[in-house]
Amino acid sequence: MKFKFLSLAAIAAVGGSLLTGNEALAQAKTIAIDGSSTVFPVSEAIAEEFQKANKGAIRVTVGISGTGGGFKKFCRGETDISNGSRPILKEEIEACKKAGIDFYELPLAFDALTVAVSPKNTTLKCITVAQLKTIWEPSAQGKVMKWKDADPSWPDQAIKLYGAGADSGTFDYFTEAIVGKAKASRGDYTASEDDNVLVTGIENDANSLGYIPFAYYEPHKAKMKALGIDWGKGQGCVLPSLENVLAGTYNPLARPLFIYVSKKAADKPEVAQFVEFAMTKGPALIREVKYLPLPDEAYKMGIARFKAAQVGSGFGGIPEVGLPVAEILKRTPKM
Amino acid sequence: MTAIDIGVPRGVPRKRHAPTARRHRRERIFKVVGLLATLVGLVALGALLFDLAYSGLPRLSWDFFLNFPSRRANIAGILSAWVGSLLVILVTGAIGIPLGVAAGIYLEEYARKNLLTNIIEINVSNLAGVPSIIYGLLALGLFVYGFGTGRSIFTAGLTLALLILPIIIVATREAIRAVPDSLREAALGLGATKWQVTRDHVLPAAMPGVLTGVIIGVSRALGETAPLITIGALTFIAFLPTPPITSEPPFISFQWLWDGFTVLPIQAFNWVSRPGDDFHANAAAAGLVLVLLTLGLNGIAIYLRYRLRKKLQW
């Protein structure tokens, strides 16, 4: 009896689907966003407020396929907006071009990586990029096991490393910025895709050193100590903070986060409305979810770029690190 | 070995048993070892449940079930997630159960034993062990891009149906194989066709076993995350799918099959990876709901199995 009902339901379901088809979905005003899970909390906050402001007349959905996975869907025309924790890459630009998808590139917020140690660590206040490289580069594996191996003035104690897992965008960014090559890292450290695991590890281990996104450091700052970063380019030691990131001095561990808006989608009034909402109401929401907003000019520039229909990427598909805000804003997009 | 044959072949010296006291001591030792082995699993499950309940229970309220996800942990809820989970499982069951049971019946009762069925048999058993993300990749290529079913509840149901198909097929076959041949022969002897035998005698007798397989499959599907993220399940969705009943004729709509969705494990996963303890409490609460849902489903199955077993009389 049960099977009879279930199979009838299945047949009815397939039949019904043939009748209604996919078109009806397009009629409902829905904005589809997908991409980086790093950008997700920001998008979620903006989407939530945007829906509330429109009393639910326009629906927004957000997925977390990752930056690369998001661009794949975006360049097939399946999503309206793609979240990126890095600029779009060459192959992705090609794929979009092939599918005839033009896009706007709009910087949305900053994400800063924090290098943190246990508060019990009294020797370290500042670390240079060169020292970080000595600790984290692939050849350090099995060699740099004690603090003094990285710097003779540091204590003769085992160093416990915590870092992002290889599938994480944070891992790509840290290795690119510190070692100079994406994904080049030693492997003998406690790795996790879940930043909360790293937070717990750094807090509970007196000899810990690890890197985590700033948003994870902020709520735990009583229990861990952020190190200042010295890029060795004359700026000296810079602590991770909103002011320093905005001033463009927290380098090379601050990175911009982007949204990419399909031009075809932007012709729809609801998408245009959403972009405007993100650029005006965004900064407050970004602060609320503990990310770092860009300076006001960035959002004004975003709106201007959008209104002037300036499509394309300003980065030419090549990954770069440590760009100050002013530099990012100066880049004019080209296709 | 038959019941009478308890002896040892002639010429082989009989193994001498240890003295009674020592044998009994061994008996007791095994009992303790067995008990410990059982307890490891039970204690782990207990600790997990306790931990979830400890951090999750304070968050459980009507609002938690009736609110959409939010950036504010204290007003965030799981409405879209549990509705999504239920709808996806409905589609999964509607497709996976009849297909799996039918395939199991065919392979066990109808198919001739030859190379082809052997290959099918091995493949089905192997499929049960394929990592779930592979099903997600298959579904992305075949359903989403090939058939154009989109990032929808329908696609998710199809994908999970594929995932649980081998589990149901294997369980159905085992259950059918356990039905004594005398039952089939008696029915066939009275002139029943094969289908009549299967429908009226074999299947009812095998039902408790089939049901067990169905429940294991459905419980697994409920907890899946990876294949659904691969086919493009959403994470933030603050509206419900189209209602199945409409005010205009024909009054029943299947539009919800094409709507985007999220499910409980994805929502829990997303909250776990957020900074701050308040979101972790939400994740624990969502996990608790998921565990209770699975336990509830299992409970229903155990009850049904019990009733079906009681009705069986040969």
Side-chain angles (χ1 to χ4, degrees):
Chain A
M1 222 14 237
K2 195 174 158 211
F3 294 129
K4 228 179 236 171
F5 168 69
L6 285 176
S7 31
L8 275 180
I11 293 164
V14 174
S17 68
L18 291 177
L19 288 175
T20 46
N22 262 333
E23 292 91 80
L25 189 63
Q27 284 163 13
K29 278 190 181 175
T30 307
I31 303 175
I33 306 178
D34 206 332
S36 166
S37 54
T38 310
V39 190
F40 176 80
V42 178
S43 280
E44 181 189 47
I46 297 175
E48 188 185 356
E49 281 312 303
F50 182 71
Q51 283 191 155
K52 229 178 259 167
N54 286 290
K55 306 211 164 51
I58 301 168
R59 299 162 153 192
V60 187
T61 64
V62 191
I64 43 165
S65 307
T67 303
F71 278 132
K72 250 175 228 146
K73 294 189 173 112
F74 182 71
C75 293
R76 294 179 70 105
E78 289 168 18
T79 53
D80 302 315
I81 296 174
S82 207
N83 292 331
S85 61
R86 55 160 170 76
I88 190 167
L89 295 178
K90 222 171 221 157
E91 311 92 78
E92 292 158 350
I93 297 177
E94 290 298 314
C96 268
K97 211 181 265 176
K98 220 177 266 169
I101 298 209
D102 289 340
F103 55 83
Y104 300 105
E105 177 181 75
L106 306 172
L108 183 66
F110 259 117
D111 177 31
L113 290 185
T114 304
V115 177
V117 294
S118 159
K120 286 187 196 131
N121 185 329
T122 46
T123 18
L124 250 71
K125 285 197 173 57
C126 180
I127 196 164
T128 67
V129 171
Q131 283 165 333
L132 277 174
K133 185 171 184 230
T134 319
I135 296 175
W136 285 98
E137 65 190 347
S139 60
Q141 180 148 348
K143 285 202 189 103
V144 183
M145 305 304 280
K146 290 182 166 181
W147 289 96
K148 65 163 188 180
D149 295 338
D151 189 311
S153 66
W154 288 349
D156 182 14
Q157 261 161 344
I159 181 168
K160 296 271 182 56
L161 295 173
Y162 295 86
D167 285 340
S168 140
T170 308
F171 176 77
D172 291 358
Y173 187 74
F174 184 82
T175 45
E176 172 95 45
I178 297 298
V179 183
K181 190 165 173 279
K183 293 195 187 294
S185 166
R186 68 190 297 175
D188 53 347
Y189 65 97
T190 307
S192 176
E193 262 78 29
D194 182 356
D195 296 306
N196 291 302
V197 173
L198 304 176
V199 167
T200 320
I202 298 169
E203 282 175 1
N204 296 333
D205 195 331
N207 279 308
S208 60
L209 182 139
Y211 59 91
I212 46 172
F214 186 72
Y216 288 79
Y217 160 72
E218 178 88 65
H220 295 265
K221 58 180 163 193
K223 285 188 258 173
M224 59 170 90
K225 187 167 93 179
L227 294 182
I229 303 290
D230 185 349
W231 202 11
K233 300 202 173 176
Q235 273 152 334
C237 207
V238 185
L239 278 165
S241 71
L242 178 58
E243 295 73 37
N244 290 340
V245 169
L246 280 189
T249 51
Y250 187 65
N251 282 326
L253 288 180
R255 63 172 166 175
L257 305 174
F258 299 89
I259 53 172
Y260 287 80
V261 185
S262 152
K263 185 164 184 294
K264 217 174 275 163
D267 292 341
K268 291 187 280 187
E270 65 266 22
V271 176
Q273 207 180 326
F274 180 84
V275 171
E276 208 146 313
F277 188 89
M279 293 288 125
T280 49
K281 300 277 171 18
L285 294 168
I286 289 165
R287 221 166 278 141
E288 203 186 316
V289 295
K290 301 282 193 295
Y291 277 61
L292 309 167
L294 303 166
D296 288 340
E297 306 96 85
Y299 300 106
K300 284 193 195 114
M301 188 256 355
I303 293 179
R305 188 182 278 184
F306 192 69
K307 287 214 169 114
Q310 277 188 300
V311 294
S313 169
F315 297 86
I318 302 147
E320 282 174 89
V321 293
L323 289 176
V325 187
E327 172 67 22
I328 293 165
L329 298 187
K330 248 192 286 169
R331 298 283 179 101
T332 16
K334 18 182 197 294
M335 234 4 232
Chain B
M1 210 188 273
T2 62
I4 314 150
D5 183 19
I6 49 165
V8 185
R10 264 168 240 277
V12 179
R14 222 182 117 107
K15 192 191 167 198
R16 254 179 303 156
H17 285 298
T20 311
R22 201 189 299 166
R23 286 198 299 122
H24 281 256
R25 195 162 60 234
R26 283 183 189 167
E27 165 82 10
R28 278 196 300 275
I29 290 174
F30 178 75
K31 231 187 217 167
V32 171
V33 169
L35 186 67
L36 281 180
T38 317
L39 279 181
V40 169
L42 280 180
V43 167
L45 181 67
L48 179 75
L49 274 179
F50 177 78
D51 186 43
L52 278 180
Y54 180 75
S55 35
L57 262 187
R59 278 295 292 136
L60 282 188
S61 64
W62 282 120
D63 280 347
F64 189 64
F65 285 95
L66 297 177
N67 280 358
F68 286 113
S70 162
R71 70 179 182 285
R72 295 201 185 93
N74 57 337
I75 58 163
I78 53 168
L79 181 59
S80 40
W82 71 258
V83 171
S85 268
L86 279 186
L87 291 179
V88 168
I89 285 301
L90 195 72
V91 178
T92 305
I95 296 166
I97 296 171
L99 278 183
V101 173
I105 292 173
Y106 177 79
L107 284 175
E108 205 53 43
E109 293 286 318
Y110 286 83
R112 261 186 228 114
K113 294 270 169 261
N114 55 25
L115 187 66
L116 185 69
T117 48
N118 272 338
I119 292 175
I120 292 177
E121 196 168 318
I122 292 169
N123 272 312
V124 168
S125 312
N126 278 341
L127 273 180
V130 168
S132 58
I133 187 130
I134 305 293
Y135 286 93
L137 291 172
L138 169 80
L140 183 69
L142 191 66
F143 301 143
V144 180
Y145 295 155
F147 299 159
T149 53
R151 303 152 27 121
S152 59
I153 293 176
F154 184 62
T155 310
L158 272 182
T159 312
L160 293 184
L162 279 189
L163 184 82
I164 66 171
L165 210 49
I167 302 173
I168 295 180
I169 293 177
V170 170
T172 305
R173 294 190 58 184
E174 306 258 309
I176 287 177
R177 212 174 299 156
V179 176
D181 268 340
S182 53
L183 200 72
R184 294 188 183 83
E185 282 153 11
L188 285 171
L190 288 173
T193 62
K194 204 161 201 175
W195 170 233
Q196 281 176 319
V197 175
T198 308
R199 189 190 60 192
D200 298 336
H201 301 286
V202 176
L203 204 50
M207 214 36 157
V210 173
L211 225 72
T212 310
V214 165
I215 287 306
I216 294 174
V218 168
S219 307
R220 174 158 178 211
L222 255 181
E224 277 302 338
T225 317
L228 297 184
I229 289 194
T230 313
I231 61 165
L234 300 158
T235 310
F236 174 81
I237 172 164
F239 54 86
L240 289 180
T242 332
I245 296 161
T246 55
S247 54
E248 294 157 26
F251 301 113
I252 293 174
S253 155
F254 283 101
Q255 187 56 45
W256 57 268
L257 280 171
W258 304 108
D259 287 342
F261 67 99
T262 189
V263 291
L264 275 170
I266 294 183
Q267 186 64 69
F269 167 71
N270 176 253
W271 278 336
V272 162
S273 57
R274 297 285 278 265
D277 289 336
D278 33 3
F279 272 114
H280 299 171
N282 281 2
L288 198 61
V289 172
L290 189 62
V291 171
L292 293 181
L293 202 62
T294 315
L295 287 182
L297 272 179
N298 274 309
I300 293 172
I302 291 167
Y303 174 70
L304 283 179
R305 205 163 56 193
Y306 168 74
R307 280 198 39 188
L308 287 172
R309 279 226 176 105
K310 243 181 31 184
K311 270 204 303 199
L312 278 186
Q313 270 163 4
W314 290 331

